[in-house]
Amino acid sequence: MDISGDKNNVDDKMLSRLFYFPICNEDEIDRVLNVRTAQDYLLKLRADTIVNNMRLFRVYRNRALSLEGEWSLEKSFEIDHYTNFLQSIPLNLRKRCDSITYGDIFSNIPNGQIFKTDYGPAITISDSLRFFFKFMNLALLDFNGRVPERVCLNALRIAIRVMLKTETMDFLMDPRGIVPEDIVQAIHTPIPYQLQFIAGHEFAHYLLNHLSETNVSDCYIYYDISECNENYEKVKVYNQSQRDEFDADIKSLSFPRLPADEYRKLYESSLLWFGSLQIYEAAYDAIYPSSSWDYKTHPTARDRYDNILDNVKTPSGVNKDSWKSFLKIIERYKNMIIEDISLNYDLYEMYGSVYLDEPDSEWRGPRLIDRVDYY
């Protein structure tokens, strides 16, 4: 009896399992190979993106090997920014969100999105946004002159390169420098609130009935300028109008019922996010000039910043004028970056890594060599 067909089938299944084995546990491999829910769909997107990019694969393989106990790819992604929003909104709104799947993905397209899947909508945020926030916050927060100007400039360069998809996504192995511990804590403090605002923005699109089956586009969740993008699957993403974006920003702040101090942190973190985004937009326009007549699908970061100042309740203890003055800092950094791009254009297009300072300096430490000092 010829059983070669059955043997080949078994071999193919075994090869498929081995393909995911280094980054998924056995239960997760079963789900990736037999997608039945939107949560399975997100897990497969994560796994496929990682195994198709060697640097990401090394990052997550090192994560898996460094932890004690059973490793889970799914549980390595934080969900607090989603659950904190959901737990803070009225019960009737929360119940409407029961059918929505949510979770971060490792994408170097730094934003929040809502995927259209065969299993219902899935809200996602790119994990790379954390790195954009980290380096932007290092440059923008007030540390009483402790952070040298050259370090601020390099932090801005790194953040902008993350958004341009030219910075290598290996920060967990190569952190780009050495930052004093109290400053590390300060630059990370707003990030959970920045992510919660973005998560709330995406939930608000759903709650405000902004999702249209006729307004969906295809896009890659990972864009690799150094490799062929055919390795990465395209996904269907719901698109929004400019008016919808303004409304979702407002509701991300007004839907939650928060203690005064928590509301202040969420409000100020949203303004810090749109201040940072203004610098990136200025950099992008300098690198890729467009006509003033070009149609824009999203309002500018400055318009969204003003929309919050003008249309959202100002938290107790917050001086709105100080946030208007913050725009002067944003303008100074925008001008600095535009000038830097005119002098160092290639730095922004080069695929690789940029550092906070020169090797063997206080803010850099010794030069780390890939595959030697880290793997």
Side-chain angles (χ1 to χ4, degrees):
M1 182 175 69
D2 183 6
I3 60 171
S4 59
D6 291 336
K7 182 179 184 300
N8 288 338
N9 188 43
V10 170
D11 287 345
D12 288 344
K13 288 182 178 180
M14 183 60 68
L15 285 173
S16 296
R17 297 189 71 84
L18 289 174
F19 187 61
Y20 295 107
F21 178 76
I23 60 165
C24 294
N25 61 37
E26 292 291 346
D27 176 66
E28 289 173 335
I29 295 174
D30 290 339
R31 292 169 54 197
V32 166
L33 296 178
N34 188 24
V35 174
R36 294 181 176 178
T37 67
Q39 202 65 49
D40 295 344
Y41 175 84
L42 275 187
L43 178 63
K44 180 173 171 55
L45 282 181
R46 291 161 170 165
D48 285 346
T49 302
I50 292 167
V51 296
N52 282 319
N53 181 286
M54 180 51 65
R55 197 167 289 267
L56 289 183
F57 178 84
R58 288 164 54 200
V59 169
Y60 273 86
R61 185 58 182 153
N62 284 337
R63 262 192 188 182
L65 293 173
S66 67
L67 296 178
E68 296 181 1
E70 184 180 5
W71 160 259
S72 166
L73 175 62
E74 184 172 64
K75 291 180 180 178
S76 72
F77 289 84
E78 295 181 18
I79 61 170
D80 288 354
H81 37 289
Y82 303 97
T83 57
N84 287 343
F85 175 82
L86 290 172
Q87 291 168 5
S88 70
I89 62 178
L91 183 60
N92 64 312
L93 296 180
R94 195 185 317 160
K95 285 185 175 297
R96 286 180 56 193
C97 296
D98 284 347
S99 61
I100 301 180
T101 295
Y102 51 84
D104 290 357
I105 57 176
F106 206 104
S107 167
N108 64 348
I109 303 173
N111 55 16
Q113 294 178 309
I114 305 180
F115 293 164
K116 180 182 184 298
T117 81
D118 294 338
Y119 317 95
I123 291 176
T124 72
I125 298 174
S126 168
D127 210 39
S128 59
L129 264 179
R130 295 176 183 273
F131 304 116
F132 174 78
F133 290 145
K134 173 182 175 179
F135 290 101
M136 273 292 180
N137 292 349
L138 177 59
L140 291 179
L141 296 180
D142 183 6
F143 296 110
N144 297 315
R146 291 176 58 197
V147 183
E149 188 88 338
R150 68 183 183 282
V151 173
C152 287
L153 174 58
N154 283 323
L156 292 174
R157 287 169 166 171
I158 296 169
I160 290 166
R161 284 170 48 80
V162 167
M163 294 290 264
L164 292 172
K165 299 175 283 294
T166 53
E167 187 70 17
T168 308
M169 291 287 107
D170 62 353
F171 295 99
L172 298 179
M173 297 186 297
D174 184 11
R176 306 303 196 269
I178 300 172
V179 180
E181 190 56 39
D182 62 318
I183 294 181
V184 169
Q185 183 174 349
I187 64 180
H188 281 91
T189 295
I191 294 178
Y193 297 97
Q194 291 173 309
L195 291 170
Q196 183 177 329
F197 171 80
I198 294 171
H201 173 97
E202 301 303 335
F203 278 114
H205 278 311
Y206 177 80
L207 292 168
L208 293 169
N209 299 313
H210 289 167
L211 308 191
S212 170
E213 298 298 316
T214 61
N215 194 13
V216 176
S217 61
D218 293 335
C219 74
Y220 290 109
I221 65 167
Y222 199 91
Y223 184 89
D224 195 332
I225 66 171
S226 68
E227 298 179 7
C228 176
N229 284 294
E230 293 178 357
N231 290 337
Y232 305 103
E233 180 182 353
K234 282 189 174 182
V235 295
K236 294 187 180 298
V237 179
Y238 288 103
N239 300 313
Q240 314 299 337
S241 71
Q242 291 202 32
R243 181 68 261 168
D244 289 348
E245 295 295 333
F246 284 132
D247 291 342
D249 285 343
I250 291 172
K251 293 304 183 183
S252 182
L253 292 166
S254 62
F255 274 152
R257 302 292 183 261
L258 295 168
D261 185 55
E262 287 294 292
Y263 176 60
R264 177 185 60 78
K265 292 175 182 176
L266 184 64
Y267 176 93
E268 294 191 317
S269 295
S270 71
L271 292 175
L272 183 59
W273 156 228
F274 288 127
S276 302
L277 199 56
Q278 288 179 56
I279 298 173
Y280 165 67
E281 287 181 352
Y284 187 90
D285 288 343
I287 297 170
Y288 307 108
S290 60
S291 167
S292 60
W293 295 100
D294 284 352
Y295 175 73
K296 295 184 183 298
T297 57
H298 279 62
T300 67
R302 173 60 189 270
D303 287 342
R304 296 173 76 177
Y305 188 100
D306 290 341
N307 178 53
I308 289 174
L309 285 178
D310 295 340
N311 298 300
V312 176
K313 178 184 175 183
T314 305
S316 175
V318 169
N319 184 346
K320 189 183 291 188
D321 288 338
S322 68
W323 281 101
K324 290 180 179 178
S325 297
F326 181 64
L327 290 169
K328 296 178 182 177
I329 298 174
I330 298 299
E331 285 301 314
R332 183 169 75 86
Y333 279 130
K334 284 167 61 175
N335 292 333
M336 179 189 297
I337 283 298
I338 290 171
E339 181 180 4
D340 187 53
I341 290 170
S342 70
L343 298 173
N344 302 290
Y345 182 87
D346 291 346
L347 176 68
Y348 293 86
E349 286 205 320
M350 171 199 75
Y351 183 78
S353 303
V354 168
Y355 294 86
L356 292 177
D357 210 346
E358 296 299 318
D360 301 316
S361 63
E362 177 186 1
W363 287 85
R364 169 76 179 272
R367 184 191 300 273
L368 298 180
I369 301 174
D370 189 9
R371 308 293 182 110
V372 176
D373 295 303
Y374 61 91
Y375 179 77

